[in-house]
Amino acid sequence: MTAYLLTNHLLNFMAPAALVALLLIVCLRLFFGFFQSKRPFVESWWVQAAIIFVVNLATLTAGLLLFGRDGKMATYAALVLGAALCQWLLLRGWKA
């Protein structure tokens, strides 16, 4: 495998994690009035996106190791649930 193909595979592996993190932050900013928290853990949007991206990447890696291949729907379902749980924790959702 050439370096170009390896880079292509790694970027395509990380793309769903980045897309879900960015879409979650954009939707949060659009509907911020409904999901306000008194004092969130993280104020800036790019730090939230980075934390959610790392959690999503860990979820995708765990799914790859568990199932032996990438792209299982169970992994993507866990990706969405993990991102939502991470965002809920970052916004201190239990204190709403």
Side-chain angles (χ1 to χ4, degrees):
M1 180 178 288
T2 64
Y4 170 74
L5 287 177
L6 180 64
T7 304
N8 187 23
H9 282 288
L10 288 176
L11 288 175
N12 284 326
F13 179 73
M14 295 185 321
L19 184 67
V20 169
L22 290 176
L23 283 176
L24 186 64
I25 297 300
V26 167
C27 288
L28 175 75
R29 297 296 179 205
L30 287 176
F31 302 111
F32 189 69
F34 298 113
F35 304 111
Q36 281 188 346
S37 176
K38 299 221 187 280
R39 293 187 59 199
F41 280 129
V42 180
E43 291 291 334
S44 66
W45 67 270
W46 60 272
V47 175
Q48 285 181 354
I51 292 171
I52 294 170
F53 174 71
V54 170
V55 169
N56 288 348
L57 203 56
T59 304
L60 286 176
T61 304
L64 177 64
L65 294 175
L66 183 66
F67 294 120
R69 67 183 186 96
D70 182 31
K72 298 281 276 189
M73 288 306 292
T75 304
Y76 291 140
L79 175 81
V80 171
L81 290 175
L85 178 66
C86 183
Q87 184 65 30
W88 183 73
L89 290 172
L90 286 174
L91 290 178
R92 295 184 184 191
W94 65 90
K95 289 188 175 187

